[in-house]
Amino acid sequence: MLAYIVRRLLFIVPTLLGIMALNFLVIHVAPGGPIDQILSNIQGSGVDVTARVSGIDSGELQQGGGQSSTEGPIGNYRGAQGLDPEFIAELERQYGFDKPLLERFGTMLWNYARFDFGESYFRDETVIDLILEKMPVSISLGLWTTFLTYLIAIPLGIRKAVSDGSSFDIWTSAVVIIGNAVPSFLFAILLIVLFAGGSFFDWFPLRGLTSDNWDQLSFWGKILDYFWHLTLPLIALMIGAFAGLTMLTKNSFLDQINMQYVQTARAKGLTESHVLYGHVFRNAMLIVIAGFPGAFIGILFTGSLLIEIIFSLDGLGLLGYEAALKRDYPVMFASLYMFGLLGLIVQLITDLTYVLIDPRIDFDTREA
């Protein structure tokens, strides 16, 4: 097993390298880079904005901006009309765009290998500080949503499998299908209208994870306040994941219940609960666990994006979305690197969980 773990850890390197290389090429080929964003600010807001963003002396900008009568884009930048080419070149040097693409990619990989992600182009903070600042919100949403989804969906799926075709199975299936059909963001809006002061009740807060008087609350008061703010976002996120996992669990158990070994166990006089949880559960849960990494990573980094926007939760999803709009490359690539690395590690943890649940699985023998 140790040899398998070492191979998987070594395999992370080329996989992550391929992810970064492909996205680096696509993002740099796409129009509207950071320089375009800065030049748009100059054209729309004047010299003072440029001086603040670029860090170049404002008098120097005024001189450069007044000297040039160049027409047409400079260096393929759409917002460069009327600006001094020397100023454009200074911007490129400041942000490293004067170097060849391959050299910039190599420098980025070397820095990322040392977890040096640099500073944001448009925020006066380092990228790692930004990620750590937003992490608690996304971690809260991801962990609690995944935990509650599995806590409810697995027992419900088992019950539906045992009572397949009954009235309980039919009406719960209807609820599950409706839940799976409703997008999380639409359900979030409905929850706001119903329970957050929209048109009916004003029971839950509309923004943030804590109240303004958080520091003045007692220990238990802080816990209650925290879950009070999390209630509606968690319900909105759970609706889709809960439906899919419930049906996956049910179908997995139905497949196992019809196996010959289950009939043999029943013929030996074992109780139904012993057959279900002593034999069927271990085999049926393998496919459910296989979906855990995708479910967790999806909820943590992508599924919560619209929920963070709707409920004004300043997390990683919102940070990545804003970075993509502004072409904040350090934040974009650092987020991609960390999320990709975390996803690959979680996948390895999933394989190890297979072995814990069913010791008969031997990855070393299978690869041999």
Side-chain angles (χ1 to χ4, degrees), residues 276-317:
L276 188 62
Y277 294 102
H279 294 78
V280 176
F281 183 83
R282 184 173 62 182
N283 295 323
M285 284 302 295
L286 289 175
I287 190 173
V288 176
I289 292 174
F292 176 80
F296 177 74
I297 297 298
I299 292 172
L300 184 60
F301 299 127
T302 58
S304 62
L305 170 59
L306 291 176
I307 301 301
E308 288 180 7
I309 295 174
I310 292 172
F311 290 99
S312 300
L313 301 174
D314 195 8
L316 290 174

Side-chain angles (χ1 to χ4, degrees), residues 105 169 176 312:
F105 180 66
D169 180 43
V176 166
S312 300

